[in-house]
Amino acid sequence: LKTQNNSILIRSVRIPESLPYYWHSVPGTSIDHHVAIVMGIEEEITDKCKAAIEAEYVECEVLGEGCEGGYKVDLKVVSAKFDGVPLLKRHQMVNEVFAEELSSNKIHALTIKAWTPAQFEAKK
């Protein structure tokens, strides 16, 4: 199954059609191996977000590795803790949760959508 941006969609994990360079240099690396790693990272990010921000809903998508080796992550977070909080402060709250991962370059780029439950319902 191919998506609009020419990626292959496997169990909601988007993998670029042209595999990253390191796949060619690591013997035995497979798509299943990559999917397992990505799913583990997505689960780790989701759990951490739910615990720290008391998120009611988290959607995490690891888009691949950046040029520096860290992961590019799209994150949608819905939490009542965002009620009455300006958008910039919401993003800062999420960035604080992942400060260690961002500083160590485990996460290279983090795109955040931070919504209140009411905003999320309106977007459905």
Side-chain angles (χ1 to χ4, degrees):
L1 175 65
K2 296 205 177 183
T3 62
Q4 278 184 314
N5 66 355
N6 210 24
S7 296
I8 300 170
L9 193 64
I10 301 175
R11 289 191 249 153
S12 299
V13 177
R14 192 170 291 153
I15 298 173
E17 188 172 302
S18 58
L19 300 176
Y21 70 90
Y22 66 86
W23 284 44
H24 305 290
S25 61
V26 179
T29 302
S30 67
I31 288 179
D32 288 339
H33 175 75
H34 184 68
V35 168
I37 290 171
V38 168
M39 289 179 76
I41 292 165
E42 288 176 348
E43 186 177 336
E44 178 183 328
I45 290 169
T46 299
D47 291 347
K48 194 167 184 178
C49 218
K50 285 182 177 180
I53 303 176
E54 298 172 17
E56 300 169 18
Y57 174 83
V58 177
E59 183 179 317
C60 176
E61 184 176 12
V62 175
L63 301 173
E65 285 191 299
C67 54
E68 299 293 320
Y71 290 97
K72 294 179 183 177
V73 177
D74 274 353
L75 191 59
K76 294 177 185 168
V77 184
V78 178
S79 175
K81 283 191 167 188
F82 295 148
D83 283 327
V85 177
L87 184 59
L88 180 59
K89 178 63 179 162
R90 295 177 195 179
H91 283 227
Q92 290 170 341
M93 290 167 67
V94 175
N95 276 317
E96 285 174 18
V97 172
F98 299 104
E100 183 180 321
E101 290 85 351
L102 289 163
S103 67
S104 71
N105 204 36
K106 182 175 182 178
I107 296 176
H108 174 72
L110 181 60
T111 302
I112 302 167
K113 302 255 194 256
W115 298 313
T116 65
Q119 289 172 323
F120 183 63
E121 285 301 317
K123 292 183 184 301
K124 285 185 176 180

